[in-house]
Amino acid sequence: MTQPIDWEALLQQAEQARARAYAPYSNYHVGAAILTASGRVFAGCNVENASYGLTVCAERTAIVSMVAAGESKPIAIAIVTRGKEAGTPCGMCRQVLAEFALDLPIRLVGADAREAFYETTLETLLPRAFRPESLLGERT
Ligand code: THU
């Protein structure tokens, strides 16, 4: 059963999270908000580090917060980046998101052109993803 998605509310949460991004090195602020099957929303922002490689993206911050709260069924994600044209999730984030869902809609929004969003799915962004089933299938 598909649940209606309040994209405006989800987008607002992603924007609020984006305002909390810690990105003093790239100055590229990202916010993400994940809606789960229970109706709760988990937001995240990118958190950079003086040791650059330790940076965590907004999408992974949000996913980690979802799992830490005991949830595992994301049904939609909104991501806000800077500019008019939204950036797309990096490869690492695609893989981390794919652990929990493949068919969820992902709405990508540039902070300066909210109406010009781009909607996609993980199936499109990460075809033939390596998934939990890949491992479980090998066990017997
Ligand atoms: N970033 C994200 O938060 N999400 C992405 O999917 C792409 C990149 C962050 C990481 C870093 O803090 C900044 O954007 C520039 O790469």
Side-chain angles (χ1 to χ4, degrees), residues 93-132:
C93 288
R94 291 176 198 204
Q95 178 65 30
V96 172
L97 293 169
E99 180 77 12
F100 299 96
L102 270 188
D103 57 353
L104 87 173
I106 304 179
R107 206 170 266 208
L108 306 169
V109 181
D112 299 332
R114 247 165 149 270
E115 65 293 342
F117 63 84
Y118 176 72
E119 195 166 309
T120 185
T121 66
L122 270 170
E123 266 150 353
T124 304
L125 293 177
L126 191 67
R128 295 185 62 96
F130 185 74
R131 304 210 63 236

Side-chain angles (χ1 to χ4, degrees), residues 30-34 42-48 52-68 77-79 89-100:
V30 185
I34 296 173
F42 298 92
C45 59
N46 50 333
V47 181
E48 297 188 345
Y52 298 166
L54 303 186
T55 291
V56 184
C57 296
E59 296 89 330
R60 277 176 290 138
T61 312
I63 275 282
V64 167
S65 137
M66 176 196 81
V67 175
I77 177 163
I79 301 166
C90 78
M92 193 184 274
C93 288
R94 291 176 198 204
Q95 178 65 30
V96 172
L97 293 169
E99 180 77 12
F100 299 96

Side-chain angles (χ1 to χ4, degrees), residues 3 8 11 17 23 34 39 56 73 75 77 82 87 89 119 121 123 126 137-139:
Q3 198 167 309
E8 184 50 37
L11 197 54
I34 296 173
V56 184
K73 289 189 176 58
I75 61 166
I77 177 163
R82 79 167 170 220
E119 195 166 309
T121 66
E123 266 150 353
L126 191 67
E138 296 295 320
R139 277 197 187 158

Side-chain angles (χ1 to χ4, degrees), residues 5-65:
I5 295 159
D6 185 347
W7 283 108
E8 184 50 37
L10 202 57
L11 197 54
Q12 274 178 25
Q13 297 244 27
E15 280 173 329
Q16 282 167 18
R18 181 171 181 261
R20 296 190 287 269
Y22 176 74
Y25 308 107
S26 72
N27 203 32
Y28 187 81
H29 295 204
V30 185
I34 296 173
L35 173 68
T36 62
S38 71
R40 291 178 71 188
V41 173
F42 298 92
C45 59
N46 50 333
V47 181
E48 297 188 345
N49 193 276
S51 178
Y52 298 166
L54 303 186
T55 291
V56 184
C57 296
E59 296 89 330
R60 277 176 290 138
T61 312
I63 275 282
V64 167
S65 137

